[in-house]
Amino acid sequence: MTPALTALLCLGLSLGPRTRMQAGPFPKPTLWAEPGSVISWGSPVTIWCQGSLEAQEYQLDKEGSPEPWDRNNPLEPKNKARFSIPSMTQHHAGRYRCHYYSSAGWSEPSDPLELVMTGFYNKPTLSALPSPVVASGGNMTLRCGSQKGYHHFVLMKEGEHQLPRTLDSQQLHSGGFQALFPVGPVTPSHRWRFTCYYYYTNTPWVWSHPSDPLEILPSGVSRKPSLLTLQGPVLAPGQSLTLQCGSDVGYDRFVLYKEGERDFLQRPGQQPQAGLSQANFTLGPVSRSYGGQYRCYGAHNLSSEWSAPSDPLDILITGQIYDTVSLSAQPGPTVASGENVTLLCQSRGYFDTFLLTKEGAAHPPLRLRSMYGAHKYQAEFPMSPVTSAHAGTYRCYGSRSSNPHLLSFPSEPLELMVSGHSGGSSLPPTGPPSTPGGPEDQPLNPPGSGPQNGLGRYLEVLIGVSVAFVLLLFLLLFLLLRRQRHSKHRTSDQRKTDFQRPAGAAETEPKDRGLLRRSSPAADVQEENLYAAVKDTQSEDRVELDSQSPHDEDPQAVTYAPVKHSSPRREMASPPSSLSGEFLDTKDRQVEEDRQMDTEAAASEASQDVTYAQLHSLTLRRKATEPPPSQEGEPPAEPSIYATLAIH
């Protein structure tokens, strides 16, 4: 082998390994930041550069800086290096690259890392158009805006490591700026939560504060919940407002959304009973900003899909317009059931719409567009035919189309009283007829309100009649007791007069007897015989004589005295010259015998003589009827004697 060939062979062996090391590719380093590339002002951040195990040194370069930003030795196992920023400022914001050095030289630079500092400007607003709730699989638009003329807007999605989306700003006619970001299709497979920023063109890595986060709710077709207010839809400033969202589906959570707002409230569901779930959203004290239209949604914990929206609920705030309104009833506030009445709401101030509310009613107020006439804005609310359900207290309000949820101060309350049925035929209790015209014209249907005023009037009348009846009953009872007491005293006085005369006192002969003797001798004989018969029976028989004092009775009064004979008598005694002596002598003895004979006479069932004596003040007549002679062996029939005494 020649010396030249040997020299070339040695040169090739010595150059071969070195040529392969220089020609072999170096791995490109990787550059990233923790906790992320978008850092708020003043927060710490760590930048990592990862290369090869042969790296001896790592270098971090910032775009626009002539000198290396930082150099660090690799950490074990020497394949990466760490660059720390303890407090983020706008000077740290920018575009970075890194590369490493080994025995073979420098590697190629990494891909750029844009380190952004936020919080240098005021935050923008982020909203969803038309609302943050979209049907599953649907598309929507997110609007990021600001009142200042920033050049660019950035939209970022939470939990996504993709590059943020940037759009140039557009100026509005109102003077503000905005950018519209289309989003979709929206699916419930993951969470849709966004924030947005803005920046100037000359400082693209210095951003504003982030907007408030906006979450998109993908709604499904599951049954919608119901939304109601516990205080009524019309509220005065300062009142508390509680909205209740509920469903019989058994949702685990609910959200409340107000139209036009960028955010919503979320509450866990509660189950007052099996199969039912609800959530209460307490708001307030309310102000004008609470007026608007609300909806709610329900969802299960294991699903990101929300239910269909509830029916809208309008919350109205009063006292926001100072023009006054008045309310009147035509023909009047008192109407019979079945008749017609019209409630007239009017004002001299300008209003687009008038609203009529009923106290205690849960249904939404009735709305009617105003009409101008006679220098007033007014609306007529007809109710026909009127039923007891229409009775109650009404108020009216005015509103303007610029903000229909802000109302005027209420009118003076009007109490509508419905009396009983009118003279015509009975009509079914229906509400007032619907008036066409869309959402501003709604029928008034006051369910659940009874005729409280009419019932109160009926109760007053019933109480008055009852009191009068009780008083009349007491008066009648008093008169009855007084009459009985008076009768008892009069009977006692009469007995004292008849039975308590002194023994042996001479009985005065009536003056008329003298007249009778002088006028008729035959009548005198009959009178004497009658007195003798009565005298003879005094010792054996019980005499029942009920008479009244001549001074107490009318002169023409007639008195009957039944006289019962213990044994039949036919003989007539000789007329005594006077009855007074013997009759009064036996008075005292007869009183005691009468008491003993009362008991015996009550038990006696044998037929007895009955004598009726009709005493008159002017005449004396006697009629004696004797029974026909009885057969032999039979006792004679008892005679009945009728004596009539009359004084002409």
Side-chain angles (χ1 to χ4, degrees):
M1 183 180 292
T2 61
L5 183 60
T6 304
L8 291 174
L9 182 59
C10 292
L11 182 61
L13 292 174
S14 61
L15 292 176
R18 186 174 181 180
T19 302
R20 286 194 299 270
M21 183 174 291
Q22 289 178 350
F26 291 100
K28 179 193 290 189
T30 303
L31 186 63
W32 74 94
E34 291 180 354
S37 59
V38 179
I39 307 299
S40 60
W41 188 13
S43 299
V45 61
T46 300
I47 300 176
W48 293 92
C49 182
Q50 183 174 0
S52 172
L53 294 174
E54 299 177 359
Q56 299 176 4
E57 184 182 15
Y58 286 87
Q59 180 176 305
L60 182 65
D61 297 324
K62 180 183 177 185
E63 188 176 286
S65 177
E67 298 293 331
W69 185 261
D70 199 1
R71 288 182 178 180
N72 276 333
N73 294 325
L75 301 177
E76 294 296 337
K78 296 187 178 183
N79 62 338
K80 62 182 179 181
R82 179 176 63 188
F83 301 91
S84 297
I85 300 176
S87 179
M88 186 70 179
T89 66
Q90 66 269 28
H91 301 291
H92 297 99
R95 181 177 292 168
Y96 291 85
R97 284 185 171 90
C98 77
H99 49 271
Y100 61 91
Y101 178 78
S102 67
S103 58
W106 291 97
S107 67
E108 61 180 304
S110 65
D111 293 330
L113 169 67
E114 294 183 350
L115 189 62
V116 176
M117 187 207 73
T118 65
F120 198 77
Y121 312 110
N122 293 330
K123 66 181 179 180
T125 60
L126 181 61
S127 59
L129 303 176
S131 76
V133 182
V134 61
S136 181
N139 299 321
M140 63 186 314
T141 300
L142 300 184
R143 174 188 175 274
C144 189
S146 175
Q147 291 299 321
K148 295 186 178 180
Y150 300 105
H151 300 154
H152 307 278
F153 288 94
V154 181
L155 181 68
M156 297 187 66
K157 183 180 179 183
E158 184 180 295
E160 195 172 78
H161 298 289
Q162 297 179 359
L163 293 177
R165 299 169 57 184
T166 304
L167 288 178
D168 296 338
S169 66
Q170 300 174 353
Q171 188 171 6
L172 303 175
H173 296 291
S174 60
F177 296 84
Q178 70 174 14
L180 302 177
F181 296 89
V183 176
V186 178
T187 61
S189 58
H190 58 279
R191 193 175 186 183
W192 298 76
R193 188 178 176 92
F194 296 89
T195 54
C196 78
Y197 305 82
Y198 57 81
Y199 64 90
Y200 289 105
T201 303
N202 57 346
T203 56
W205 300 290
V206 178
W207 293 359
S208 67
H209 282 280
S211 69
D212 293 330
L214 173 65
E215 186 172 359
I216 304 302
L217 299 181
S219 66
V221 294
S222 57
R223 191 184 311 173
K224 66 182 179 182
S226 61
L227 181 62
L228 56 89
T229 170
L230 303 182
Q231 290 80 19
V234 180
L235 297 163
Q239 285 186 270
S240 179
L241 171 63
T242 300
L243 301 181
Q244 186 178 89
C245 187
S247 175
D248 58 357
V249 177
Y251 293 122
D252 300 312
R253 50 200 174 109
F254 294 91
V255 294
L256 178 69
Y257 172 70
K258 180 187 175 186
E259 185 177 353
E261 294 290 330
R262 54 161 306 280
D263 206 352
F264 48 83
L265 297 176
Q266 187 169 169
R267 296 286 186 274
Q270 298 178 352
Q271 293 188 350
Q273 60 185 37
L276 297 178
S277 60
Q278 66 181 34
N280 291 335
F281 298 86
T282 301
L283 311 175
V286 301
S287 61
R288 62 182 293 126
S289 62
Y290 285 78
Q293 191 172 84
Y294 292 80
R295 288 181 173 89
C296 75
Y297 304 81
H300 297 284
N301 285 333
L302 300 180
S303 174
S304 299
E305 185 178 37
W306 293 85
S307 69
S310 68
D311 293 331
L313 174 63
D314 291 321
I315 298 299
L316 309 174
I317 309 300
T318 67
Q320 305 304 309
I321 304 175
Y322 291 95
D323 290 327
T324 59
V325 294
S326 62
L327 181 63
S328 59
Q330 297 176 351
T334 302
V335 61
S337 178
E339 295 184 352
N340 301 331
V341 68
T342 299
L343 300 185
L344 178 63
C345 190
Q346 55 186 0
S347 174
R348 294 188 179 275
Y350 167 72
F351 290 104
D352 295 305
T353 306
F354 286 102
L355 297 89
L356 183 67
T357 64
K358 181 182 178 185
E359 190 174 290
H363 60 83
L366 174 65
R367 296 173 178 261
L368 284 180
R369 290 188 177 93
S370 67
M371 300 183 65
Y372 186 75
H375 306 288
K376 290 183 179 181
Y377 292 90
Q378 63 182 17
E380 296 181 353
F381 298 88
M383 287 185 281
S384 59
V386 173
T387 67
S388 59
H390 291 97
T393 303
Y394 292 84
R395 291 178 176 85
C396 81
Y397 305 82
S399 68
R400 294 169 182 165
S401 57
S402 57
N403 198 334
H405 296 96
L406 301 182
L407 308 181
S408 67
F409 285 95
S411 67
E412 292 296 327
L414 173 68
E415 186 175 2
L416 183 64
M417 295 180 289
V418 180
S419 60
H421 294 288
S422 59
S425 60
S426 177
L427 297 174
T430 58
S434 301
T435 54
E440 295 294 331
D441 303 318
Q442 305 169 5
L444 182 64
N445 181 22
S449 59
Q452 299 177 355
N453 298 318
L455 180 60
R457 294 172 57 194
Y458 293 149
L459 288 176
E460 290 177 0
V461 173
L462 182 60
I463 292 173
V465 171
S466 302
V467 171
F469 177 76
V470 171
L471 292 177
L472 182 60
L473 185 62
F474 276 112
L475 180 60
L476 292 176
L477 184 60
F478 172 75
L479 292 177
L480 180 61
L481 293 176
R482 189 167 181 266
R483 180 177 179 84
Q484 290 179 353
R485 184 176 180 184
H486 180 71
S487 177
K488 185 183 298 184
H489 282 294
R490 188 168 58 185
T491 304
S492 177
D493 293 341
Q494 180 64 31
R495 288 181 177 179
K496 288 179 180 179
T497 304
D498 293 341
F499 298 106
Q500 293 182 1
R501 293 178 181 175
E507 182 178 2
T508 5
E509 181 177 346
K511 296 179 181 181
D512 292 336
R513 288 187 60 187
L515 294 175
L516 288 175
R517 288 192 186 98
R518 290 191 298 268
S519 62
S520 175
D524 293 342
V525 175
Q526 293 177 358
E527 180 183 356
E528 295 299 332
N529 293 337
L530 176 61
Y531 275 87
V534 172
K535 175 186 174 185
D536 292 341
T537 58
Q538 287 291 331
S539 58
E540 300 176 4
D541 305 327
R542 172 181 172 267
V543 179
E544 295 180 4
L545 179 60
D546 295 330
S547 61
Q548 295 181 355
S549 174
H551 301 285
D552 297 335
E553 296 290 329
D554 184 76
Q556 300 296 326
V558 178
T559 304
Y560 291 89
V563 181
K564 297 182 180 180
H565 301 275
S566 59
S567 60
R569 301 181 62 89
R570 286 296 306 265
E571 69 267 13
M572 301 291 292
S574 299
S577 60
S578 175
L579 282 174
S580 59
E582 296 180 3
F583 183 77
L584 294 177
D585 290 340
T586 59
K587 276 289 184 180
D588 295 334
R589 297 192 306 271
Q590 192 64 33
V591 170
E592 183 63 25
E593 294 175 1
D594 287 342
R595 294 177 182 173
Q596 299 177 0
M597 295 175 64
D598 285 340
T599 307
E600 299 173 359
S604 175
E605 296 182 356
S607 60
Q608 298 177 356
D609 296 344
V610 178
T611 302
Y612 292 88
Q614 180 177 355
L615 305 179
H616 197 275
S617 303
L618 298 178
T619 62
L620 176 63
R621 294 188 300 273
R622 178 176 182 275
K623 295 180 181 179
T625 304
E626 295 180 2
S630 58
Q631 297 179 2
E632 216 179 284
E634 295 182 358
E638 295 180 344
S640 297
I641 299 175
Y642 296 86
T644 304
L645 304 179
I647 299 176
H648 298 282

